[in-house]
PDB file of all heavy atoms in Angstrom:
ATOM      1  N   VAL A  18      26.281   8.938  -4.117  1.00  0.00           N
ATOM      2  CA  VAL A  18      27.387   8.635  -5.019  1.00  0.00           C
ATOM      3  C   VAL A  18      27.747   9.899  -5.728  1.00  0.00           C
ATOM      4  O   VAL A  18      26.883  10.751  -6.086  1.00  0.00           O
ATOM      5  CB  VAL A  18      26.928   7.520  -6.083  1.00  0.00           C
ATOM      6  CG1 VAL A  18      27.949   7.314  -7.098  1.00  0.00           C
ATOM      7  CG2 VAL A  18      26.675   6.235  -5.341  1.00  0.00           C
ATOM      8  N   GLU A  20      28.914  12.027  -9.015  1.00  0.00           N
ATOM      9  CA  GLU A  20      28.671  12.048 -10.466  1.00  0.00           C
ATOM     10  C   GLU A  20      29.912  11.412 -11.172  1.00  0.00           C
ATOM     11  O   GLU A  20      31.096  11.617 -10.797  1.00  0.00           O
ATOM     12  CB  GLU A  20      28.533  13.469 -10.949  1.00  0.00           C
ATOM     13  CG  GLU A  20      28.240  13.518 -12.436  1.00  0.00           C
ATOM     14  CD  GLU A  20      28.006  14.987 -12.838  1.00  0.00           C
ATOM     15  OE1 GLU A  20      28.163  15.930 -12.064  1.00  0.00           O
ATOM     16  OE2 GLU A  20      27.599  15.191 -14.057  1.00  0.00           O
ATOM     17  N   GLY A  21      29.596  10.478 -12.074  1.00  0.00           N
ATOM     18  CA  GLY A  21      30.703   9.809 -12.807  1.00  0.00           C
ATOM     19  C   GLY A  21      31.112   8.476 -12.212  1.00  0.00           C
ATOM     20  O   GLY A  21      31.718   7.659 -12.942  1.00  0.00           O
ATOM     21  N   SER A  24      27.109   3.476  -9.287  1.00  0.00           N
ATOM     22  CA  SER A  24      26.061   3.283  -8.250  1.00  0.00           C
ATOM     23  C   SER A  24      25.718   1.790  -8.241  1.00  0.00           C
ATOM     24  O   SER A  24      25.479   1.240  -9.325  1.00  0.00           O
ATOM     25  CB  SER A  24      24.804   4.116  -8.504  1.00  0.00           C
ATOM     26  OG  SER A  24      25.097   5.460  -8.441  1.00  0.00           O
ATOM     27  N   LYS A  42      12.357   2.997 -11.429  1.00  0.00           N
ATOM     28  CA  LYS A  42      12.784   4.283 -10.885  1.00  0.00           C
ATOM     29  C   LYS A  42      11.550   5.086 -10.598  1.00  0.00           C
ATOM     30  O   LYS A  42      10.574   5.059 -11.397  1.00  0.00           O
ATOM     31  CB  LYS A  42      13.640   5.024 -11.966  1.00  0.00           C
ATOM     32  CG  LYS A  42      14.098   6.433 -11.599  1.00  0.00           C
ATOM     33  CD  LYS A  42      14.893   6.976 -12.791  1.00  0.00           C
ATOM     34  CE  LYS A  42      15.452   8.286 -12.556  1.00  0.00           C
ATOM     35  NZ  LYS A  42      16.194   8.901 -13.653  1.00  0.00           N
ATOM     36  N   LYS A  43      11.547   5.852  -9.414  1.00  0.00           N
ATOM     37  CA  LYS A  43      10.338   6.491  -9.034  1.00  0.00           C
ATOM     38  C   LYS A  43      10.600   7.788  -8.395  1.00  0.00           C
ATOM     39  O   LYS A  43      11.544   7.957  -7.578  1.00  0.00           O
ATOM     40  CB  LYS A  43       9.515   5.634  -8.065  1.00  0.00           C
ATOM     41  CG  LYS A  43       8.133   6.220  -7.775  1.00  0.00           C
ATOM     42  CD  LYS A  43       7.375   5.294  -6.867  1.00  0.00           C
ATOM     43  CE  LYS A  43       5.952   5.857  -6.603  1.00  0.00           C
ATOM     44  NZ  LYS A  43       5.967   7.238  -6.051  1.00  0.00           N
ATOM     45  N   TYR A  44       9.804   8.810  -8.775  1.00  0.00           N
ATOM     46  CA  TYR A  44       9.854  10.124  -8.133  1.00  0.00           C
ATOM     47  C   TYR A  44       8.590  10.220  -7.284  1.00  0.00           C
ATOM     48  O   TYR A  44       7.587   9.583  -7.533  1.00  0.00           O
ATOM     49  CB  TYR A  44       9.780  11.251  -9.192  1.00  0.00           C
ATOM     50  CG  TYR A  44      11.094  11.280 -10.030  1.00  0.00           C
ATOM     51  CD1 TYR A  44      11.045  10.929 -11.380  1.00  0.00           C
ATOM     52  CD2 TYR A  44      12.367  11.626  -9.511  1.00  0.00           C
ATOM     53  CE1 TYR A  44      12.166  10.880 -12.196  1.00  0.00           C
ATOM     54  CE2 TYR A  44      13.439  11.650 -10.317  1.00  0.00           C
ATOM     55  CZ  TYR A  44      13.426  11.249 -11.619  1.00  0.00           C
ATOM     56  OH  TYR A  44      14.499  11.282 -12.417  1.00  0.00           O
ATOM     57  N   LEU A  52      12.854   0.305 -15.736  1.00  0.00           N
ATOM     58  CA  LEU A  52      14.243   0.530 -16.122  1.00  0.00           C
ATOM     59  C   LEU A  52      14.827  -0.644 -16.853  1.00  0.00           C
ATOM     60  O   LEU A  52      15.308  -0.527 -18.020  1.00  0.00           O
ATOM     61  CB  LEU A  52      15.127   0.771 -14.864  1.00  0.00           C
ATOM     62  CG  LEU A  52      15.265   2.175 -14.339  1.00  0.00           C
ATOM     63  CD1 LEU A  52      16.096   2.133 -13.053  1.00  0.00           C
ATOM     64  CD2 LEU A  52      15.841   3.144 -15.317  1.00  0.00           C
ATOM     65  N   ARG A  66      23.677   2.435 -19.686  1.00  0.00           N
ATOM     66  CA  ARG A  66      24.405   2.669 -18.414  1.00  0.00           C
ATOM     67  C   ARG A  66      23.945   1.719 -17.375  1.00  0.00           C
ATOM     68  O   ARG A  66      24.517   1.687 -16.271  1.00  0.00           O
ATOM     69  CB  ARG A  66      24.181   4.116 -18.006  1.00  0.00           C
ATOM     70  CG  ARG A  66      24.778   5.156 -18.869  1.00  0.00           C
ATOM     71  CD  ARG A  66      24.755   6.539 -18.332  1.00  0.00           C
ATOM     72  NE  ARG A  66      23.375   6.991 -18.112  1.00  0.00           N
ATOM     73  CZ  ARG A  66      22.872   7.230 -16.827  1.00  0.00           C
ATOM     74  NH1 ARG A  66      23.611   7.030 -15.779  1.00  0.00           N
ATOM     75  NH2 ARG A  66      21.667   7.605 -16.744  1.00  0.00           N
ATOM     76  N   PHE A  67      22.898   0.965 -17.630  1.00  0.00           N
ATOM     77  CA  PHE A  67      22.274   0.112 -16.524  1.00  0.00           C
ATOM     78  C   PHE A  67      22.538  -1.395 -16.800  1.00  0.00           C
ATOM     79  O   PHE A  67      22.371  -1.869 -17.931  1.00  0.00           O
ATOM     80  CB  PHE A  67      20.732   0.343 -16.508  1.00  0.00           C
ATOM     81  CG  PHE A  67      20.355   1.748 -16.226  1.00  0.00           C
ATOM     82  CD1 PHE A  67      20.109   2.655 -17.260  1.00  0.00           C
ATOM     83  CD2 PHE A  67      20.204   2.251 -14.975  1.00  0.00           C
ATOM     84  CE1 PHE A  67      19.735   3.965 -17.072  1.00  0.00           C
ATOM     85  CE2 PHE A  67      19.878   3.573 -14.675  1.00  0.00           C
ATOM     86  CZ  PHE A  67      19.633   4.434 -15.742  1.00  0.00           C
ATOM     87  N   ILE A  82      24.769   1.256 -12.127  1.00  0.00           N
ATOM     88  CA  ILE A  82      24.545   2.423 -12.943  1.00  0.00           C
ATOM     89  C   ILE A  82      25.957   3.064 -13.184  1.00  0.00           C
ATOM     90  O   ILE A  82      26.586   3.491 -12.221  1.00  0.00           O
ATOM     91  CB  ILE A  82      23.609   3.448 -12.341  1.00  0.00           C
ATOM     92  CG1 ILE A  82      22.294   2.785 -11.970  1.00  0.00           C
ATOM     93  CG2 ILE A  82      23.358   4.638 -13.371  1.00  0.00           C
ATOM     94  CD1 ILE A  82      21.348   3.756 -11.241  1.00  0.00           C
ATOM     95  N   PRO A  84      28.191   5.554 -16.105  1.00  0.00           N
ATOM     96  CA  PRO A  84      28.496   6.427 -14.978  1.00  0.00           C
ATOM     97  C   PRO A  84      27.263   7.017 -14.365  1.00  0.00           C
ATOM     98  O   PRO A  84      26.294   7.265 -15.096  1.00  0.00           O
ATOM     99  CB  PRO A  84      29.342   7.509 -15.577  1.00  0.00           C
ATOM    100  CG  PRO A  84      28.868   7.657 -16.990  1.00  0.00           C
ATOM    101  CD  PRO A  84      28.399   6.251 -17.415  1.00  0.00           C
ATOM    102  N   SER A  85      27.242   7.332 -13.051  1.00  0.00           N
ATOM    103  CA  SER A  85      26.073   7.916 -12.507  1.00  0.00           C
ATOM    104  C   SER A  85      25.964   9.401 -12.818  1.00  0.00           C
ATOM    105  O   SER A  85      26.994  10.048 -12.991  1.00  0.00           O
ATOM    106  CB  SER A  85      26.196   7.825 -10.938  1.00  0.00           C
ATOM    107  OG  SER A  85      26.294   6.466 -10.552  1.00  0.00           O
ATOM    108  N   GLN A  86      24.769   9.924 -13.002  1.00  0.00           N
ATOM    109  CA  GLN A  86      24.451  11.198 -13.422  1.00  0.00           C
ATOM    110  C   GLN A  86      23.502  11.848 -12.389  1.00  0.00           C
ATOM    111  O   GLN A  86      22.691  11.151 -11.796  1.00  0.00           O
ATOM    112  CB  GLN A  86      23.876  11.273 -14.808  1.00  0.00           C
ATOM    113  CG  GLN A  86      24.772  10.699 -15.878  1.00  0.00           C
ATOM    114  CD  GLN A  86      24.035  10.612 -17.202  1.00  0.00           C
ATOM    115  OE1 GLN A  86      22.857  10.873 -17.336  1.00  0.00           O
ATOM    116  NE2 GLN A  86      24.800  10.232 -18.251  1.00  0.00           N
ATOM    117  N   PRO A  87      23.534  13.163 -12.161  1.00  0.00           N
ATOM    118  CA  PRO A  87      22.626  13.802 -11.191  1.00  0.00           C
ATOM    119  C   PRO A  87      21.141  13.470 -11.510  1.00  0.00           C
ATOM    120  O   PRO A  87      20.299  13.333 -10.651  1.00  0.00           O
ATOM    121  CB  PRO A  87      22.964  15.283 -11.369  1.00  0.00           C
ATOM    122  CG  PRO A  87      24.370  15.319 -11.762  1.00  0.00           C
ATOM    123  CD  PRO A  87      24.579  14.097 -12.655  1.00  0.00           C
ATOM    124  N   GLY A  88      20.821  13.311 -12.801  1.00  0.00           N
ATOM    125  CA  GLY A  88      19.454  12.966 -13.160  1.00  0.00           C
ATOM    126  C   GLY A  88      19.031  11.545 -12.749  1.00  0.00           C
ATOM    127  O   GLY A  88      17.827  11.241 -12.884  1.00  0.00           O
ATOM    128  N   ASP A  89      19.976  10.792 -12.309  1.00  0.00           N
ATOM    129  CA  ASP A  89      19.640   9.473 -11.818  1.00  0.00           C
ATOM    130  C   ASP A  89      19.085   9.479 -10.363  1.00  0.00           C
ATOM    131  O   ASP A  89      18.589   8.503  -9.820  1.00  0.00           O
ATOM    132  CB  ASP A  89      20.857   8.525 -11.816  1.00  0.00           C
ATOM    133  CG  ASP A  89      21.394   8.265 -13.250  1.00  0.00           C
ATOM    134  OD1 ASP A  89      20.572   8.235 -14.186  1.00  0.00           O
ATOM    135  OD2 ASP A  89      22.579   8.067 -13.376  1.00  0.00           O
ATOM    136  N   SER A  90      19.199  10.628  -9.732  1.00  0.00           N
ATOM    137  CA  SER A  90      18.665  10.775  -8.340  1.00  0.00           C
ATOM    138  C   SER A  90      17.253  10.516  -8.261  1.00  0.00           C
ATOM    139  O   SER A  90      16.445  11.195  -8.935  1.00  0.00           O
ATOM    140  CB  SER A  90      19.054  12.127  -7.823  1.00  0.00           C
ATOM    141  OG  SER A  90      20.430  12.364  -7.750  1.00  0.00           O
ATOM    142  N   ALA A  91      16.851   9.464  -7.524  1.00  0.00           N
ATOM    143  CA  ALA A  91      15.407   9.101  -7.463  1.00  0.00           C
ATOM    144  C   ALA A  91      15.323   7.912  -6.411  1.00  0.00           C
ATOM    145  O   ALA A  91      16.384   7.473  -5.905  1.00  0.00           O
ATOM    146  CB  ALA A  91      14.885   8.598  -8.828  1.00  0.00           C
ATOM    147  N   VAL A  92      14.177   7.391  -6.204  1.00  0.00           N
ATOM    148  CA  VAL A  92      14.041   6.129  -5.495  1.00  0.00           C
ATOM    149  C   VAL A  92      13.992   4.997  -6.482  1.00  0.00           C
ATOM    150  O   VAL A  92      13.191   4.983  -7.430  1.00  0.00           O
ATOM    151  CB  VAL A  92      12.788   6.175  -4.570  1.00  0.00           C
ATOM    152  CG1 VAL A  92      12.631   4.830  -3.930  1.00  0.00           C
ATOM    153  CG2 VAL A  92      12.873   7.293  -3.555  1.00  0.00           C
ATOM    154  N   TYR A  93      14.807   3.936  -6.190  1.00  0.00           N
ATOM    155  CA  TYR A  93      14.799   2.749  -7.060  1.00  0.00           C
ATOM    156  C   TYR A  93      14.146   1.540  -6.335  1.00  0.00           C
ATOM    157  O   TYR A  93      14.576   1.238  -5.150  1.00  0.00           O
ATOM    158  CB  TYR A  93      16.274   2.463  -7.443  1.00  0.00           C
ATOM    159  CG  TYR A  93      16.814   3.457  -8.416  1.00  0.00           C
ATOM    160  CD1 TYR A  93      17.180   4.694  -7.969  1.00  0.00           C
ATOM    161  CD2 TYR A  93      16.879   3.174  -9.774  1.00  0.00           C
ATOM    162  CE1 TYR A  93      17.707   5.637  -8.892  1.00  0.00           C
ATOM    163  CE2 TYR A  93      17.335   4.093 -10.628  1.00  0.00           C
ATOM    164  CZ  TYR A  93      17.775   5.357 -10.196  1.00  0.00           C
ATOM    165  OH  TYR A  93      18.256   6.248 -11.056  1.00  0.00           O
ATOM    166  N   LEU A 114      18.489   7.031  -4.148  1.00  0.00           N
ATOM    167  CA  LEU A 114      19.875   7.320  -4.639  1.00  0.00           C
ATOM    168  C   LEU A 114      19.995   8.794  -4.872  1.00  0.00           C
ATOM    169  O   LEU A 114      19.091   9.480  -5.487  1.00  0.00           O
ATOM    170  CB  LEU A 114      20.018   6.623  -6.027  1.00  0.00           C
ATOM    171  CG  LEU A 114      21.288   6.926  -6.773  1.00  0.00           C
ATOM    172  CD1 LEU A 114      22.508   6.427  -5.991  1.00  0.00           C
ATOM    173  CD2 LEU A 114      21.263   6.312  -8.209  1.00  0.00           C
ATOM    174  N   LEU A 115      21.094   9.402  -4.406  1.00  0.00           N
ATOM    175  CA  LEU A 115      21.428  10.771  -4.580  1.00  0.00           C
ATOM    176  C   LEU A 115      22.793  10.793  -5.315  1.00  0.00           C
ATOM    177  O   LEU A 115      23.759  10.322  -4.788  1.00  0.00           O
ATOM    178  CB  LEU A 115      21.535  11.506  -3.251  1.00  0.00           C
ATOM    179  CG  LEU A 115      21.925  12.972  -3.380  1.00  0.00           C
ATOM    180  CD1 LEU A 115      20.928  13.824  -4.198  1.00  0.00           C
ATOM    181  CD2 LEU A 115      22.190  13.552  -2.005  1.00  0.00           C
ATOM    182  N   VAL A 116      22.779  11.385  -6.434  1.00  0.00           N
ATOM    183  CA  VAL A 116      24.045  11.523  -7.200  1.00  0.00           C
ATOM    184  C   VAL A 116      24.433  13.017  -7.176  1.00  0.00           C
ATOM    185  O   VAL A 116      23.732  13.911  -7.643  1.00  0.00           O
ATOM    186  CB  VAL A 116      23.926  11.123  -8.685  1.00  0.00           C
ATOM    187  CG1 VAL A 116      25.214  11.278  -9.450  1.00  0.00           C
ATOM    188  CG2 VAL A 116      23.440   9.667  -8.730  1.00  0.00           C
ATOM    189  N   THR A 117      25.587  13.238  -6.542  1.00  0.00           N
ATOM    190  CA  THR A 117      26.011  14.609  -6.305  1.00  0.00           C
ATOM    191  C   THR A 117      27.017  15.039  -7.379  1.00  0.00           C
ATOM    192  O   THR A 117      27.924  14.273  -7.817  1.00  0.00           O
ATOM    193  CB  THR A 117      26.664  14.758  -4.926  1.00  0.00           C
ATOM    194  OG1 THR A 117      27.756  13.814  -4.838  1.00  0.00           O
ATOM    195  CG2 THR A 117      25.616  14.484  -3.871  1.00  0.00           C
ATOM    196  N   PRO A 118      26.948  16.347  -7.801  1.00  0.00           N
ATOM    197  CA  PRO A 118      27.944  16.842  -8.841  1.00  0.00           C
ATOM    198  C   PRO A 118      29.347  16.850  -8.264  1.00  0.00           C
ATOM    199  O   PRO A 118      29.547  16.977  -7.072  1.00  0.00           O
ATOM    200  CB  PRO A 118      27.436  18.255  -9.118  1.00  0.00           C
ATOM    201  CG  PRO A 118      26.018  18.303  -8.555  1.00  0.00           C
ATOM    202  CD  PRO A 118      25.924  17.275  -7.426  1.00  0.00           C
TER     203      PRO A 118
END
Side-chain angles (χ1 to χ4, degrees):
Chain A
V18 172
E20 182 178 6
S24 295
K42 178 180 180 181
K43 189 179 182 302
Y44 296 108
L52 274 177
R66 296 187 298 114
F67 302 92
I82 306 174
S85 301
Q86 300 172 354
D89 294 330
S90 298
V92 177
Y93 288 78
L114 173 65
L115 177 64
V116 180
T117 57

